Amino acid sequence: MKSTSIPVSVTVIGLGNMGVALADAFLKGGHPTTVWNRSADRAKGLVEKGAVLAGSVAEAIVASSLVVVCLSTYKVMQELLGPLEKELSRRVIVNLTTGTPEDARKTAKWVSERGGQYLDGAIMAVPQMIGLPETLIFYGGSKALFEAYEPTLKLLGGKAAYLSEDHGVPLIYDLSLLTMMYGAWYGSMHAHALLSTADITGTEFLPYATNWVNHLIAPLLTDPVAARARDEGNFTTDVSNLNTNKLGLEHIIHASKEQGIPVDWLTPLLALATQKVAEGYGADSFDRVIEAIRKPLVK
């Protein structure tokens, strides 16, 4: 395994906004950097900073011991790298392409069969955050491989977090965090749509939303005691039970329908709460619905 005491040569395949940011971070860190992209003009700024533009994907891969891939999909990655069995041999592939856990696991097997080594990762940041000490990037695969290249990978984000030997785990973390983000995001948009029916602006609402998020929502979602209770299946509560929350959901849905606001995203949530109440868990915390999420609704 290659020592990282001397800057290793790095190749970045894929020069979208994120790929450009990754390559730029390696250049700033003093690593000899080769780049490749279908549209070569995307590399112009990087070449001016010292990067080498490869003439083909094969040339890009053999140029470096560490190959970082950041493409639109795993399918595109397979199309590009599929014909390059010899080139992949003895290369370390770090894939930062967005996909599913099974995509990552299948790709790890595919690279291994061709004599390469593989880490899968998930970037929890926008391109402008690449290279910052607080930037979080998840990694999965061989722990020894990650540790060997950790100093180099930390150039991309100071919070380089190794999670598991299972290559799919980084994407499970990634998609789980994104699920929280999109749920909160859509909830916020629904709230603003509801407010607009009374000519209330987002600016007027913001102070109250900020207070609500900071003092109730964020603590609720990040409470270690609550997380442990959920892990243990302990759904007792003396605060706000399922009966109360079911009623709250019914009010939101009814009011939204009155104003012509879609409730498609809330209806399944109410169905989950209704199921658990019908099973006799109305006095438990709302967290009890996780049982219905883990198991399909009874039809």
Side-chain angles (χ1 to χ4, degrees), residues 185-202 205 252 255-263 265:
W185 207 347
Y186 193 91
S188 175
M189 289 187 284
H190 187 110
H192 281 78
L194 194 57
L195 289 162
S196 70
T197 65
D199 296 323
I200 302 168
T201 67
F205 184 62
I252 296 169
S256 297
K257 285 182 175 179
E258 286 180 338
Q259 303 301 325
I261 296 172
V263 295
W265 74 287

Side-chain angles (χ1 to χ4, degrees), residues 39-228:
S39 301
D41 61 319
R42 291 286 301 173
K44 183 178 179 181
L46 294 168
V47 171
E48 290 174 352
K49 294 178 182 180
V52 175
L53 175 61
S56 65
V57 180
E59 182 183 322
I61 290 176
V62 299
S64 306
S65 56
L66 178 65
V67 179
V68 176
V69 180
C70 187
L71 296 165
S72 56
T73 66
Y74 279 73
K75 181 180 179 181
V76 170
M77 178 187 177
Q78 290 279 353
E79 290 172 353
L80 290 174
L81 304 190
L84 309 177
E85 296 199 13
K86 292 181 180 178
E87 289 84 353
L88 290 170
S89 179
R90 297 189 298 278
R91 292 295 181 272
V92 175
I93 307 297
V94 178
N95 188 16
L96 300 178
T97 299
T98 301
T100 70
E102 282 307 304
D103 285 334
R105 291 167 183 142
K106 290 176 181 178
T107 304
K109 183 174 183 292
W110 182 81
V111 172
S112 177
E113 290 171 348
R114 285 150 182 77
Q117 295 177 285
Y118 185 79
L119 291 173
D120 207 282
I123 302 172
M124 308 310 299
V126 295
Q128 292 80 0
M129 294 175 64
I130 294 301
L132 299 180
E134 66 270 24
T135 297
L136 174 63
I137 303 179
F138 295 129
Y139 295 95
S142 164
K143 187 174 184 180
L145 185 63
F146 170 78
E147 290 176 344
Y149 288 91
E150 184 176 2
T152 302
L153 295 175
K154 278 194 169 182
L155 292 172
L156 306 180
K159 298 291 184 182
Y162 174 80
L163 298 177
S164 173
E165 295 278 337
D166 181 347
H167 295 87
V169 166
L171 285 168
I172 292 177
Y173 271 72
D174 173 34
L175 298 175
S176 297
L177 289 172
L178 288 175
T179 297
M180 294 178 69
M181 182 187 77
Y182 286 117
W185 207 347
Y186 193 91
S188 175
M189 289 187 284
H190 187 110
H192 281 78
L194 194 57
L195 289 162
S196 70
T197 65
D199 296 323
I200 302 168
T201 67
T203 302
E204 292 175 289
F205 184 62
L206 187 59
Y208 308 105
T210 301
N211 181 280
W212 181 253
V213 170
N214 290 343
H215 299 291
L216 183 76
I217 303 302
L220 184 67
L221 296 180
T222 59
D223 180 6
V225 175
R228 184 166 61 252

